[in-house]
Short mmCIF file of all heavy atoms in Angstrom, two decimals:
data_model
loop_
_atom_site.label_atom_id
_atom_site.label_comp_id
_atom_site.label_asym_id
_atom_site.label_seq_id
_atom_site.Cartn_x
_atom_site.Cartn_y
_atom_site.Cartn_z
N MET A 101 -8.02 15.90 -19.81
CA MET A 101 -7.82 16.30 -18.45
C MET A 101 -6.72 17.36 -18.49
O MET A 101 -5.66 17.16 -19.11
CB MET A 101 -7.41 15.13 -17.57
CG MET A 101 -7.08 15.45 -16.15
SD MET A 101 -6.54 14.09 -15.13
CE MET A 101 -7.94 13.00 -15.14
N SER A 102 -6.90 18.44 -17.84
CA SER A 102 -5.89 19.48 -17.83
C SER A 102 -4.65 19.06 -17.06
O SER A 102 -4.70 18.16 -16.21
CB SER A 102 -6.46 20.76 -17.23
OG SER A 102 -6.57 20.62 -15.84
N LYS A 103 -3.57 19.68 -17.36
CA LYS A 103 -2.30 19.38 -16.70
C LYS A 103 -2.38 19.65 -15.19
O LYS A 103 -1.86 18.91 -14.37
CB LYS A 103 -1.14 20.20 -17.29
CG LYS A 103 -0.77 19.70 -18.67
CD LYS A 103 0.41 20.52 -19.20
CE LYS A 103 0.73 20.04 -20.60
NZ LYS A 103 1.86 20.80 -21.15
N LEU A 104 -3.10 20.73 -14.84
CA LEU A 104 -3.27 21.02 -13.42
C LEU A 104 -4.06 19.94 -12.69
O LEU A 104 -3.65 19.50 -11.61
CB LEU A 104 -3.96 22.37 -13.23
CG LEU A 104 -4.21 22.82 -11.80
CD1 LEU A 104 -2.87 22.89 -11.02
CD2 LEU A 104 -4.94 24.15 -11.76
N ARG A 105 -5.14 19.49 -13.27
CA ARG A 105 -5.93 18.45 -12.63
C ARG A 105 -5.10 17.15 -12.50
O ARG A 105 -5.17 16.47 -11.48
CB ARG A 105 -7.21 18.15 -13.44
CG ARG A 105 -8.26 19.14 -13.22
CD ARG A 105 -9.53 18.72 -13.94
NE ARG A 105 -10.57 19.71 -13.70
CZ ARG A 105 -11.77 19.54 -14.08
NH1 ARG A 105 -12.16 18.46 -14.75
NH2 ARG A 105 -12.70 20.49 -13.84
N PHE A 106 -4.38 16.81 -13.58
CA PHE A 106 -3.55 15.65 -13.53
C PHE A 106 -2.51 15.79 -12.41
O PHE A 106 -2.25 14.86 -11.63
CB PHE A 106 -2.85 15.41 -14.87
CG PHE A 106 -1.95 14.22 -14.90
CD1 PHE A 106 -2.55 12.97 -14.95
CD2 PHE A 106 -0.60 14.33 -14.89
CE1 PHE A 106 -1.74 11.82 -14.95
CE2 PHE A 106 0.19 13.22 -14.89
CZ PHE A 106 -0.36 11.96 -14.92
N ALA A 107 -1.87 16.93 -12.28
CA ALA A 107 -0.87 17.15 -11.27
C ALA A 107 -1.46 17.01 -9.84
O ALA A 107 -0.88 16.41 -8.97
CB ALA A 107 -0.21 18.49 -11.42
N VAL A 108 -2.64 17.60 -9.66
CA VAL A 108 -3.33 17.47 -8.37
C VAL A 108 -3.67 16.04 -8.06
O VAL A 108 -3.47 15.56 -6.90
CB VAL A 108 -4.58 18.34 -8.34
CG1 VAL A 108 -5.41 18.08 -7.12
CG2 VAL A 108 -4.18 19.82 -8.40
N LEU A 109 -4.13 15.27 -9.05
CA LEU A 109 -4.45 13.88 -8.87
C LEU A 109 -3.21 13.07 -8.48
O LEU A 109 -3.26 12.31 -7.54
CB LEU A 109 -5.09 13.31 -10.12
CG LEU A 109 -5.44 11.84 -10.11
CD1 LEU A 109 -6.48 11.54 -9.05
CD2 LEU A 109 -5.93 11.37 -11.47
N VAL A 110 -2.14 13.30 -9.19
CA VAL A 110 -0.89 12.61 -8.86
C VAL A 110 -0.42 12.94 -7.48
O VAL A 110 -0.01 12.04 -6.69
CB VAL A 110 0.21 12.89 -9.93
CG1 VAL A 110 1.56 12.41 -9.49
CG2 VAL A 110 -0.16 12.29 -11.28
N LEU A 111 -0.48 14.21 -7.12
CA LEU A 111 -0.06 14.62 -5.79
C LEU A 111 -0.97 14.00 -4.70
O LEU A 111 -0.45 13.53 -3.67
CB LEU A 111 -0.12 16.15 -5.67
CG LEU A 111 0.27 16.77 -4.34
CD1 LEU A 111 1.78 16.44 -4.08
CD2 LEU A 111 0.08 18.24 -4.36
N ALA A 112 -2.25 13.96 -4.94
CA ALA A 112 -3.17 13.40 -3.96
C ALA A 112 -2.90 11.90 -3.76
O ALA A 112 -2.90 11.41 -2.63
CB ALA A 112 -4.62 13.63 -4.39
N ILE A 113 -2.66 11.20 -4.83
CA ILE A 113 -2.40 9.77 -4.70
C ILE A 113 -1.04 9.58 -4.02
O ILE A 113 -0.91 8.70 -3.14
CB ILE A 113 -2.38 9.14 -6.12
CG1 ILE A 113 -3.82 9.07 -6.66
CG2 ILE A 113 -1.81 7.69 -6.05
CD1 ILE A 113 -3.93 8.65 -8.08
N GLY A 114 -0.11 10.37 -4.38
CA GLY A 114 1.26 10.20 -3.81
C GLY A 114 1.30 10.50 -2.32
O GLY A 114 2.06 9.96 -1.55
N CYS A 115 0.46 11.40 -1.87
CA CYS A 115 0.47 11.80 -0.45
C CYS A 115 -0.59 11.08 0.39
O CYS A 115 -0.74 11.38 1.58
CB CYS A 115 0.21 13.31 -0.37
SG CYS A 115 1.56 14.28 -1.05
N SER A 116 -1.36 10.23 -0.22
CA SER A 116 -2.45 9.60 0.53
C SER A 116 -1.93 8.67 1.60
O SER A 116 -0.89 8.05 1.50
CB SER A 116 -3.36 8.82 -0.42
OG SER A 116 -2.75 7.64 -0.85
N GLY A 117 -2.68 8.57 2.68
CA GLY A 117 -2.33 7.69 3.79
C GLY A 117 -2.63 6.22 3.44
O GLY A 117 -2.26 5.32 4.18
N SER A 118 -3.20 6.00 2.28
CA SER A 118 -3.52 4.63 1.89
C SER A 118 -2.33 3.89 1.26
O SER A 118 -2.42 2.69 1.00
CB SER A 118 -4.70 4.58 0.91
OG SER A 118 -4.34 5.20 -0.29
N ALA A 119 -1.27 4.59 1.02
CA ALA A 119 -0.10 3.96 0.38
C ALA A 119 0.43 2.85 1.30
O ALA A 119 0.62 3.08 2.48
CB ALA A 119 0.99 4.98 0.10
N ILE A 120 0.74 1.75 0.78
CA ILE A 120 1.27 0.64 1.52
C ILE A 120 2.72 0.90 1.90
O ILE A 120 3.16 0.49 2.96
CB ILE A 120 1.06 -0.69 0.78
CG1 ILE A 120 -0.38 -1.01 0.64
CG2 ILE A 120 1.83 -1.84 1.44
CD1 ILE A 120 -0.70 -2.18 -0.21
N ALA A 121 3.40 1.58 1.02
CA ALA A 121 4.81 1.93 1.30
C ALA A 121 5.04 3.26 0.65
O ALA A 121 4.26 3.75 -0.10
CB ALA A 121 5.71 0.86 0.71
N GLN A 122 6.19 3.81 0.93
CA GLN A 122 6.52 5.16 0.44
C GLN A 122 6.93 5.17 -1.04
O GLN A 122 7.00 6.20 -1.65
CB GLN A 122 7.60 5.76 1.31
CG GLN A 122 7.18 5.98 2.71
CD GLN A 122 5.98 6.94 2.82
OE1 GLN A 122 5.92 7.91 2.13
NE2 GLN A 122 5.00 6.58 3.65
N THR A 123 7.19 4.02 -1.63
CA THR A 123 7.63 4.01 -3.01
C THR A 123 6.65 3.15 -3.83
O THR A 123 5.91 2.34 -3.33
CB THR A 123 9.03 3.36 -3.10
OG1 THR A 123 8.91 1.93 -2.74
CG2 THR A 123 10.04 4.04 -2.23
N ALA A 124 6.72 3.38 -5.12
CA ALA A 124 5.85 2.59 -6.02
C ALA A 124 6.25 1.11 -5.94
O ALA A 124 5.40 0.25 -6.05
CB ALA A 124 5.98 3.10 -7.45
N ASP A 125 7.57 0.83 -5.78
CA ASP A 125 7.99 -0.55 -5.64
C ASP A 125 7.33 -1.24 -4.42
O ASP A 125 6.98 -2.37 -4.52
CB ASP A 125 9.54 -0.61 -5.51
CG ASP A 125 10.25 -0.19 -6.78
OD1 ASP A 125 9.59 -0.25 -7.84
OD2 ASP A 125 11.42 0.18 -6.69
N GLY A 126 7.23 -0.51 -3.35
CA GLY A 126 6.61 -1.09 -2.14
C GLY A 126 5.17 -1.37 -2.36
O GLY A 126 4.64 -2.41 -1.95
N ARG A 127 4.44 -0.47 -2.99
CA ARG A 127 3.05 -0.72 -3.23
C ARG A 127 2.87 -1.89 -4.20
O ARG A 127 2.00 -2.72 -4.01
CB ARG A 127 2.36 0.53 -3.87
CG ARG A 127 2.16 1.61 -2.83
CD ARG A 127 1.34 2.77 -3.36
NE ARG A 127 1.99 3.48 -4.45
CZ ARG A 127 2.79 4.49 -4.32
NH1 ARG A 127 3.06 4.94 -3.13
NH2 ARG A 127 3.31 5.10 -5.39
N GLY A 128 3.75 -1.95 -5.17
CA GLY A 128 3.67 -3.09 -6.15
C GLY A 128 3.95 -4.39 -5.47
O GLY A 128 3.38 -5.44 -5.79
N ALA A 129 4.87 -4.39 -4.52
CA ALA A 129 5.26 -5.65 -3.84
C ALA A 129 4.10 -6.25 -3.03
O ALA A 129 4.02 -7.45 -2.86
CB ALA A 129 6.46 -5.38 -2.91
N CYS A 130 3.20 -5.39 -2.56
CA CYS A 130 2.09 -5.85 -1.75
C CYS A 130 0.74 -5.86 -2.45
O CYS A 130 -0.28 -6.22 -1.84
CB CYS A 130 2.00 -4.98 -0.48
SG CYS A 130 3.40 -5.23 0.66
N LYS A 131 0.71 -5.45 -3.70
CA LYS A 131 -0.56 -5.34 -4.43
C LYS A 131 -1.34 -6.65 -4.48
O LYS A 131 -2.51 -6.70 -4.13
CB LYS A 131 -0.30 -4.85 -5.86
CG LYS A 131 -1.53 -4.87 -6.75
CD LYS A 131 -2.19 -3.54 -6.86
CE LYS A 131 -3.28 -3.52 -7.88
NZ LYS A 131 -4.53 -4.10 -7.43
N ALA A 132 -0.67 -7.71 -4.82
CA ALA A 132 -1.37 -9.01 -4.95
C ALA A 132 -1.85 -9.49 -3.56
O ALA A 132 -2.94 -10.03 -3.42
CB ALA A 132 -0.45 -10.08 -5.57
N ASP A 133 -1.01 -9.26 -2.55
CA ASP A 133 -1.43 -9.65 -1.19
C ASP A 133 -2.57 -8.78 -0.70
O ASP A 133 -3.50 -9.34 -0.07
CB ASP A 133 -0.22 -9.49 -0.24
CG ASP A 133 0.88 -10.46 -0.55
OD1 ASP A 133 0.59 -11.66 -0.76
OD2 ASP A 133 2.05 -10.02 -0.60
N TYR A 134 -2.60 -7.49 -1.02
CA TYR A 134 -3.67 -6.65 -0.64
C TYR A 134 -4.95 -7.14 -1.35
O TYR A 134 -6.00 -7.28 -0.73
CB TYR A 134 -3.43 -5.20 -1.07
CG TYR A 134 -4.64 -4.31 -0.96
CD1 TYR A 134 -5.09 -3.87 0.26
CD2 TYR A 134 -5.40 -4.01 -2.10
CE1 TYR A 134 -6.24 -3.08 0.33
CE2 TYR A 134 -6.52 -3.26 -2.07
CZ TYR A 134 -6.95 -2.78 -0.81
OH TYR A 134 -8.09 -2.05 -0.72
N ASP A 135 -4.90 -7.42 -2.65
CA ASP A 135 -6.06 -7.84 -3.40
C ASP A 135 -6.57 -9.19 -2.83
O ASP A 135 -7.79 -9.38 -2.75
CB ASP A 135 -5.70 -8.06 -4.85
CG ASP A 135 -5.46 -6.76 -5.60
OD1 ASP A 135 -5.87 -5.70 -5.07
OD2 ASP A 135 -4.84 -6.78 -6.68
N LYS A 136 -5.71 -10.05 -2.37
CA LYS A 136 -6.15 -11.34 -1.89
C LYS A 136 -6.67 -11.30 -0.43
O LYS A 136 -7.69 -11.94 -0.16
CB LYS A 136 -4.94 -12.32 -1.95
CG LYS A 136 -5.27 -13.76 -1.54
CD LYS A 136 -4.12 -14.67 -1.82
CE LYS A 136 -4.47 -16.13 -1.52
NZ LYS A 136 -3.37 -17.03 -1.78
N TYR A 137 -6.04 -10.58 0.45
CA TYR A 137 -6.40 -10.61 1.84
C TYR A 137 -7.09 -9.36 2.39
O TYR A 137 -7.75 -9.47 3.42
CB TYR A 137 -5.11 -10.84 2.69
CG TYR A 137 -4.38 -12.09 2.35
CD1 TYR A 137 -3.13 -12.07 1.74
CD2 TYR A 137 -4.93 -13.34 2.64
CE1 TYR A 137 -2.44 -13.23 1.43
CE2 TYR A 137 -4.29 -14.52 2.31
CZ TYR A 137 -3.04 -14.45 1.73
OH TYR A 137 -2.37 -15.61 1.40
N CYS A 138 -6.94 -8.24 1.73
CA CYS A 138 -7.43 -7.00 2.35
C CYS A 138 -8.23 -6.09 1.42
O CYS A 138 -8.40 -4.92 1.66
CB CYS A 138 -6.23 -6.17 2.85
SG CYS A 138 -5.26 -7.07 4.11
N ALA A 139 -8.74 -6.66 0.34
CA ALA A 139 -9.46 -5.88 -0.67
C ALA A 139 -10.64 -5.13 -0.08
O ALA A 139 -10.97 -4.02 -0.56
CB ALA A 139 -9.90 -6.74 -1.81
N GLY A 140 -11.29 -5.62 0.93
CA GLY A 140 -12.41 -4.91 1.51
C GLY A 140 -12.06 -3.90 2.57
O GLY A 140 -12.90 -3.25 3.14
N THR A 141 -10.78 -3.72 2.84
CA THR A 141 -10.30 -2.77 3.83
C THR A 141 -10.23 -1.37 3.22
O THR A 141 -9.51 -1.15 2.27
CB THR A 141 -8.91 -3.17 4.34
OG1 THR A 141 -8.99 -4.50 4.84
CG2 THR A 141 -8.43 -2.25 5.40
N PRO A 142 -10.94 -0.40 3.82
CA PRO A 142 -10.90 0.95 3.28
C PRO A 142 -9.51 1.59 3.61
O PRO A 142 -9.01 1.41 4.70
CB PRO A 142 -12.00 1.70 4.01
CG PRO A 142 -12.27 0.89 5.23
CD PRO A 142 -11.88 -0.54 4.93
N PRO A 143 -8.93 2.29 2.63
CA PRO A 143 -7.64 2.90 2.88
C PRO A 143 -7.74 4.06 3.82
O PRO A 143 -8.81 4.67 4.01
CB PRO A 143 -7.22 3.35 1.47
CG PRO A 143 -8.45 3.46 0.69
CD PRO A 143 -9.42 2.47 1.28
N GLY A 144 -6.58 4.36 4.42
CA GLY A 144 -6.47 5.50 5.32
C GLY A 144 -6.31 5.07 6.76
O GLY A 144 -6.83 4.01 7.18
N GLY A 145 -5.66 5.86 7.52
CA GLY A 145 -5.51 5.60 8.95
C GLY A 145 -4.71 4.36 9.28
O GLY A 145 -4.84 3.84 10.40
N GLY A 146 -3.91 3.84 8.36
CA GLY A 146 -3.11 2.67 8.65
C GLY A 146 -3.87 1.34 8.61
O GLY A 146 -3.35 0.33 8.99
N ARG A 147 -5.11 1.39 8.13
CA ARG A 147 -5.95 0.17 8.13
C ARG A 147 -5.41 -0.89 7.21
O ARG A 147 -5.43 -2.09 7.52
CB ARG A 147 -7.38 0.51 7.80
CG ARG A 147 -8.13 1.26 8.87
CD ARG A 147 -9.56 1.50 8.52
NE ARG A 147 -9.73 2.47 7.43
CZ ARG A 147 -9.98 3.74 7.65
NH1 ARG A 147 -10.10 4.22 8.84
NH2 ARG A 147 -10.10 4.58 6.64
N VAL A 148 -4.90 -0.52 6.01
CA VAL A 148 -4.39 -1.49 5.08
C VAL A 148 -3.15 -2.17 5.64
O VAL A 148 -3.02 -3.41 5.57
CB VAL A 148 -4.12 -0.83 3.70
CG1 VAL A 148 -3.41 -1.80 2.79
CG2 VAL A 148 -5.42 -0.36 3.07
N VAL A 149 -2.25 -1.40 6.16
CA VAL A 149 -1.01 -1.97 6.76
C VAL A 149 -1.38 -2.87 7.91
O VAL A 149 -0.80 -3.97 8.06
CB VAL A 149 -0.06 -0.82 7.19
CG1 VAL A 149 1.12 -1.42 7.96
CG2 VAL A 149 0.44 -0.05 5.98
N ALA A 150 -2.33 -2.50 8.75
CA ALA A 150 -2.76 -3.30 9.86
C ALA A 150 -3.35 -4.64 9.36
O ALA A 150 -3.04 -5.71 9.89
CB ALA A 150 -3.77 -2.59 10.73
N CYS A 151 -4.15 -4.54 8.31
CA CYS A 151 -4.73 -5.76 7.70
C CYS A 151 -3.60 -6.70 7.20
O CYS A 151 -3.65 -7.90 7.45
CB CYS A 151 -5.69 -5.39 6.62
SG CYS A 151 -6.37 -6.84 5.77
N LEU A 152 -2.68 -6.08 6.49
CA LEU A 152 -1.59 -6.95 5.94
C LEU A 152 -0.77 -7.56 7.08
O LEU A 152 -0.36 -8.72 6.97
CB LEU A 152 -0.68 -6.09 5.01
CG LEU A 152 -1.33 -5.72 3.69
CD1 LEU A 152 -0.43 -4.70 2.95
CD2 LEU A 152 -1.55 -6.95 2.83
N ASN A 153 -0.53 -6.80 8.11
CA ASN A 153 0.26 -7.36 9.25
C ASN A 153 -0.47 -8.51 9.91
O ASN A 153 0.16 -9.47 10.39
CB ASN A 153 0.53 -6.25 10.31
CG ASN A 153 1.75 -5.43 9.87
OD1 ASN A 153 2.72 -5.95 9.37
ND2 ASN A 153 1.64 -4.12 10.09
N LYS A 154 -1.84 -8.51 9.93
CA LYS A 154 -2.57 -9.62 10.45
C LYS A 154 -2.37 -10.90 9.59
O LYS A 154 -2.54 -12.05 10.11
CB LYS A 154 -4.09 -9.31 10.55
CG LYS A 154 -4.40 -8.33 11.62
CD LYS A 154 -5.87 -8.03 11.63
CE LYS A 154 -6.20 -6.92 12.60
NZ LYS A 154 -7.62 -6.57 12.58
N GLN A 155 -2.10 -10.72 8.36
CA GLN A 155 -1.96 -11.84 7.42
C GLN A 155 -0.47 -12.15 7.16
O GLN A 155 -0.14 -12.87 6.22
CB GLN A 155 -2.60 -11.50 6.09
CG GLN A 155 -4.07 -11.17 6.20
CD GLN A 155 -4.89 -12.31 6.67
OE1 GLN A 155 -4.61 -13.44 6.44
NE2 GLN A 155 -5.97 -12.02 7.40
N LEU A 156 0.42 -11.66 7.98
CA LEU A 156 1.86 -11.70 7.71
C LEU A 156 2.39 -13.08 7.31
O LEU A 156 3.15 -13.19 6.35
CB LEU A 156 2.60 -11.17 8.94
CG LEU A 156 4.06 -10.78 8.70
CD1 LEU A 156 4.19 -9.70 7.64
CD2 LEU A 156 4.69 -10.35 9.99
N PRO A 157 2.02 -14.18 7.97
CA PRO A 157 2.54 -15.49 7.55
C PRO A 157 2.20 -15.87 6.10
O PRO A 157 2.97 -16.63 5.48
CB PRO A 157 1.93 -16.46 8.56
CG PRO A 157 1.55 -15.65 9.73
CD PRO A 157 1.16 -14.31 9.17
N GLN A 158 1.09 -15.38 5.60
CA GLN A 158 0.66 -15.74 4.27
C GLN A 158 1.19 -14.83 3.16
O GLN A 158 1.07 -15.11 1.98
CB GLN A 158 -0.86 -15.75 4.16
CG GLN A 158 -1.55 -16.84 4.93
CD GLN A 158 -1.70 -16.54 6.43
OE1 GLN A 158 -1.72 -15.37 6.81
NE2 GLN A 158 -1.74 -17.56 7.26
N LEU A 159 1.76 -13.72 3.55
CA LEU A 159 2.21 -12.70 2.55
C LEU A 159 3.43 -13.15 1.79
O LEU A 159 4.22 -13.97 2.24
CB LEU A 159 2.51 -11.35 3.25
CG LEU A 159 1.34 -10.75 4.00
CD1 LEU A 159 1.78 -9.41 4.61
CD2 LEU A 159 0.13 -10.53 3.12
N SER A 160 3.60 -12.55 0.60
CA SER A 160 4.80 -12.86 -0.20
C SER A 160 6.03 -12.29 0.50
O SER A 160 5.92 -11.38 1.36
CB SER A 160 4.65 -12.16 -1.58
OG SER A 160 4.67 -10.76 -1.41
N ASP A 161 7.17 -12.86 0.20
CA ASP A 161 8.39 -12.38 0.85
C ASP A 161 8.70 -10.93 0.55
O ASP A 161 9.13 -10.17 1.38
CB ASP A 161 9.58 -13.24 0.36
CG ASP A 161 9.52 -14.63 0.94
OD1 ASP A 161 8.89 -14.88 2.00
OD2 ASP A 161 10.16 -15.56 0.35
N ALA A 162 8.36 -10.50 -0.71
CA ALA A 162 8.59 -9.08 -1.08
C ALA A 162 7.73 -8.14 -0.22
O ALA A 162 8.21 -7.11 0.26
CB ALA A 162 8.30 -8.92 -2.56
N CYS A 163 6.51 -8.51 0.00
CA CYS A 163 5.62 -7.70 0.81
C CYS A 163 6.09 -7.70 2.26
O CYS A 163 6.06 -6.66 2.93
CB CYS A 163 4.20 -8.14 0.70
SG CYS A 163 2.98 -7.06 1.50
N LYS A 164 6.53 -8.83 2.78
CA LYS A 164 7.01 -8.87 4.15
C LYS A 164 8.21 -7.94 4.32
O LYS A 164 8.34 -7.26 5.33
CB LYS A 164 7.47 -10.30 4.51
CG LYS A 164 6.30 -11.24 4.70
CD LYS A 164 6.87 -12.64 4.99
CE LYS A 164 5.74 -13.66 5.06
NZ LYS A 164 6.24 -15.06 5.23
N ARG A 165 9.10 -7.88 3.30
CA ARG A 165 10.23 -6.98 3.39
C ARG A 165 9.79 -5.50 3.44
O ARG A 165 10.33 -4.71 4.18
CB ARG A 165 11.20 -7.22 2.21
CG ARG A 165 12.05 -8.50 2.37
CD ARG A 165 13.16 -8.53 1.33
NE ARG A 165 12.69 -8.59 -0.01
CZ ARG A 165 12.37 -9.72 -0.68
NH1 ARG A 165 12.50 -10.89 -0.05
NH2 ARG A 165 11.92 -9.68 -1.94
N VAL A 166 8.80 -5.19 2.65
CA VAL A 166 8.27 -3.81 2.61
C VAL A 166 7.70 -3.44 3.96
O VAL A 166 7.96 -2.36 4.53
CB VAL A 166 7.22 -3.61 1.51
CG1 VAL A 166 6.47 -2.32 1.65
CG2 VAL A 166 7.87 -3.71 0.12
N LEU A 167 6.88 -4.33 4.55
CA LEU A 167 6.29 -4.07 5.83
C LEU A 167 7.36 -3.95 6.92
O LEU A 167 7.28 -3.09 7.81
CB LEU A 167 5.27 -5.14 6.20
CG LEU A 167 4.00 -5.17 5.35
CD1 LEU A 167 3.16 -6.35 5.67
CD2 LEU A 167 3.22 -3.86 5.48
N ALA A 168 8.39 -4.80 6.85
CA ALA A 168 9.48 -4.74 7.84
C ALA A 168 10.22 -3.39 7.73
O ALA A 168 10.61 -2.84 8.73
CB ALA A 168 10.42 -5.92 7.65
N SER A 169 10.43 -2.92 6.52
CA SER A 169 11.12 -1.67 6.32
C SER A 169 10.31 -0.47 6.82
O SER A 169 10.88 0.47 7.33
CB SER A 169 11.53 -1.44 4.84
OG SER A 169 10.41 -1.14 4.05
N ARG A 170 8.98 -0.59 6.76
CA ARG A 170 8.12 0.46 7.32
C ARG A 170 8.24 0.49 8.84
O ARG A 170 8.22 1.57 9.39
CB ARG A 170 6.66 0.21 6.94
CG ARG A 170 6.29 0.66 5.53
CD ARG A 170 4.81 0.44 5.30
NE ARG A 170 3.96 1.21 6.17
CZ ARG A 170 3.50 2.43 5.86
NH1 ARG A 170 3.83 3.03 4.73
NH2 ARG A 170 2.75 3.06 6.68
N LYS A 171 8.33 -0.65 9.45
CA LYS A 171 8.45 -0.67 10.92
C LYS A 171 9.78 -0.10 11.35
O LYS A 171 9.88 0.52 12.39
CB LYS A 171 8.33 -2.13 11.40
CG LYS A 171 6.98 -2.66 11.34
CD LYS A 171 6.89 -4.08 11.85
CE LYS A 171 5.50 -4.65 11.74
NZ LYS A 171 5.43 -6.04 12.19
N ALA A 172 10.85 -0.28 10.53
CA ALA A 172 12.15 0.21 10.89
C ALA A 172 12.24 1.71 10.76
O ALA A 172 13.10 2.35 11.39
CB ALA A 172 13.22 -0.43 9.98
N GLN A 173 11.37 2.30 9.97
CA GLN A 173 11.41 3.76 9.79
C GLN A 173 10.84 4.52 10.92
O GLN A 173 10.29 4.68 11.70
CB GLN A 173 10.67 4.17 8.49
CG GLN A 173 11.36 3.69 7.32
CD GLN A 173 10.58 4.00 6.02
OE1 GLN A 173 9.47 4.48 6.08
NE2 GLN A 173 11.17 3.74 4.89
#
């Protein structure tokens, strides 16, 4: 894969609306919860965050903190 294609791919992933949080740590904190509760939810338009918020009582503490920090922003 060329360096340019790789850079475009990284940029596209980094800027996508499907990110659960703005940092890699945030996405990692909710990865297991996403896989368990929202795997069928298509990314984009805030759908993943909305799905996770519906499952809030069942989520890990780390993911709850990430979602709370998103609301504060």
Side-chain angles (χ1 to χ4, degrees):
M101 179 181 298
S102 73
K103 288 182 182 181
L104 179 59
R105 282 187 180 186
F106 180 74
V108 170
L109 177 63
V110 169
L111 182 63
I113 291 170
C115 294
S116 74
S118 66
I120 293 172
Q122 295 300 317
T123 66
D125 292 339
R127 287 188 296 270
C130 293
K131 172 98 172 79
D133 294 313
Y134 168 78
D135 289 343
K136 185 173 183 178
Y137 300 112
C138 300
T141 303
R147 288 184 290 264
V148 171
V149 173
C151 176
L152 289 171
N153 278 321
K154 288 179 185 176
Q155 303 297 328
L156 197 60
Q158 292 81 26
L159 300 181
S160 66
D161 289 337
C163 187
K164 288 177 186 177
R165 285 191 296 273
V166 168
L167 292 173
S169 72
R170 280 183 61 91
K171 287 180 184 177
Q173 293 176 352

